[in-house]
Amino acid sequence: VLTLNVLQPFSVTVSAASKVKKGKKLTISGKVTPMAAAADSGVTLQIKTGSQWRDLVDETTSATGTYRIQVIFKVVGTKKLRVLKQAASGLTERTSRTFSVKVVR
């Protein structure tokens, strides 16, 4: 009898306001699954600058795989962001959908 353990890839959800005032706190939250592999591990908020993704903030997930990141932008404009879950427990890294936040005066 051959038993195969198939690892499902990470899934990363994200939720954030689409607009924030310059200098005010923006909260980004979501969940990483599968929970067992995601618990107490890291996620990284990334920003797109030109054609490159740059790390902004690292945060640890909870025991249930949820995360909450807070960031303050000091320059107005539209920011393209995503959340990266680093590779762990034999699963490859995965990112959330790309989302935009407009920073206004």
Side-chain angles (χ1 to χ4, degrees):
V1 173
L2 176 63
T3 303
L4 293 176
N5 289 328
V6 178
L7 298 175
Q8 297 296 316
F10 284 119
S11 173
V12 183
T13 65
V14 65
S15 177
S18 60
K19 185 165 58 171
V20 66
K21 287 189 177 185
K22 177 178 88 167
K24 296 294 181 183
K25 207 177 289 182
L26 172 69
T27 300
I28 300 159
S29 59
K31 186 170 186 171
V32 177
T33 54
M35 185 175 58
D40 302 319
S41 63
V43 293
T44 302
L45 177 65
Q46 296 183 314
I47 187 166
K48 192 167 191 181
T49 53
S51 62
Q52 302 290 317
W53 287 98
R54 187 171 57 88
D55 294 351
L56 275 184
V57 179
D58 292 321
E59 190 58 70
T60 303
T61 59
S62 71
T64 60
T66 61
Y67 64 87
R68 184 174 170 197
I69 300 169
Q70 293 186 320
V71 63
I72 295 173
F73 292 105
K74 297 180 179 179
V75 178
V76 299
T78 300
K79 315 299 182 191
K80 287 195 175 194
L81 305 165
R82 70 182 184 184
V83 176
L84 168 72
K85 169 63 186 96
Q86 296 86 358
S89 303
L91 302 175
T92 58
E93 72 180 25
R94 184 62 71 108
T95 60
S96 70
R97 64 178 171 80
T98 299
F99 61 101
S100 295
V101 175
K102 187 173 185 178
V103 180
V104 298
R105 292 185 192 272

